[in-house]
Amino acid sequence: MNGRGDSHLTWSTLFHSQGLPWLALLFVAAWLAVGSGLTRPPLFGLLSILTSSVEQGATLGVAQSAGALARVIGPPVSGWLFDRHPSWPYLGVAVIAVVTGLVAWNSLVRDEASLLAAKADKSVVAG
């Protein structure tokens, strides 16, 4: 590999010193696949448990579609942001993560408050 990115990946390149960047890429891609394989089944199982039986198909379909859309749109948008400034893709993902966390936290707090209110109503009626 001459550093310009115009060489091809072949078996002979892969097992010589020029193939070290390719081996690193394949190693990272393998760990990415392992991580995805370990996180997706529990995530979709949790989604299935948390939705009613009537809405499970729609919920899982939307979740799969959102994941596919993120895998298609994410790399070009990140590349465009990286061209503008190398830190922008990371800042963008950080903003998305914080907003998602705040929405989830707000939803969980609201659900907990309604559960506590319902529990208090039951204890008043029973007492």
Side-chain angles (χ1 to χ4, degrees):
M1 219 154 103
N2 56 14
R4 292 189 315 224
D6 58 359
S7 66
H8 297 284
L9 176 61
T10 62
W11 287 108
S12 62
T13 303
L14 189 61
F15 294 110
H16 286 86
S17 63
Q18 298 92 354
L20 288 177
W22 287 105
L23 287 174
L25 177 66
L26 292 173
F27 180 76
V28 169
W31 278 108
L32 179 65
V34 168
S36 179
L38 290 174
T39 58
R40 289 174 56 99
L43 175 66
F44 288 112
L46 184 61
L47 280 173
S48 176
I49 290 169
L50 293 176
T51 57
S52 69
S53 60
V54 176
E55 297 174 340
Q56 282 182 353
T59 301
L60 293 175
V62 168
Q64 291 280 6
S65 298
L69 185 64
R71 286 187 294 276
V72 170
I73 300 295
V77 170
S78 295
W80 179 79
L81 289 171
F82 189 84
D83 284 344
R84 301 306 176 261
H85 193 277
S87 65
W88 284 10
Y90 305 105
L91 293 173
V93 170
V95 167
I96 291 171
V98 167
V99 168
T100 303
L102 289 173
V103 168
W105 181 69
N106 186 31
S107 175
L108 291 172
V109 167
R110 186 178 58 237
D111 288 348
E112 184 180 15
S114 64
L115 288 173
L116 291 173
K119 188 175 181 181
D121 287 343
K122 285 182 184 178
S123 66
V124 169
V125 171

